[in-house]
Amino acid sequence: MNENKPQVATWVLGVDIDPDNPESDPALICTLDMPLDAFKGGLIGVSLYGNMSEDTALAARIACQAIDKALKRHIERGGGDTPEMLTGLHIDPMGDIRDARP
């Protein structure tokens, strides 16, 4: 009965520079594979795509950090249907994000 249950959750981070242009194809940046039993000692895998420029890699890093901040805010607020706002973030030249909330 359990053999039909998913064993891994997979997330894909991609970017589409011009979503209104049908000629624009989204570029995949990375995938994250997390076993559903990761908190019991499973290993999480991240695969980066090799055709990234330095600018794309920096933008992906900023995007991942912004997602991290939004999820932390979501957890702090107790979850639910609260939309998470990412206003007030400071990004330094190395792509590090700091939360600038008072």
Side-chain angles (χ1 to χ4, degrees):
M1 183 188 280
N2 286 337
E3 64 272 1
N4 291 332
K5 293 177 92 175
Q7 301 299 313
V8 176
T10 300
W11 287 270
V12 177
L13 179 63
V15 63
D16 193 354
I17 302 299
D18 189 3
D20 295 330
N21 181 356
E23 301 291 322
S24 173
D25 288 329
L28 298 178
I29 294 174
C30 68
T31 59
L32 183 137
D33 295 313
M34 185 176 88
L36 296 179
D37 64 349
F39 298 110
K40 297 178 186 172
L43 296 176
I44 297 173
V46 176
S47 300
L48 297 175
Y49 290 91
N51 60 352
M52 282 193 293
S53 67
E54 187 175 329
D55 292 341
T56 304
L58 183 60
R61 181 171 186 236
I62 292 169
C64 289
Q65 288 185 46
I67 292 167
D68 180 54
K69 294 288 183 192
L71 290 172
K72 284 179 182 174
R73 288 182 183 182
H74 185 74
I75 291 169
E76 287 172 0
R77 296 176 184 173
D81 290 334
T82 57
E84 303 308 315
M85 298 298 295
L86 290 176
T87 56
L89 294 178
H90 289 280
I91 303 170
D92 71 15
M94 293 301 295
D96 292 319
I97 293 180
R98 290 184 296 116
D99 195 344
R101 291 182 302 172

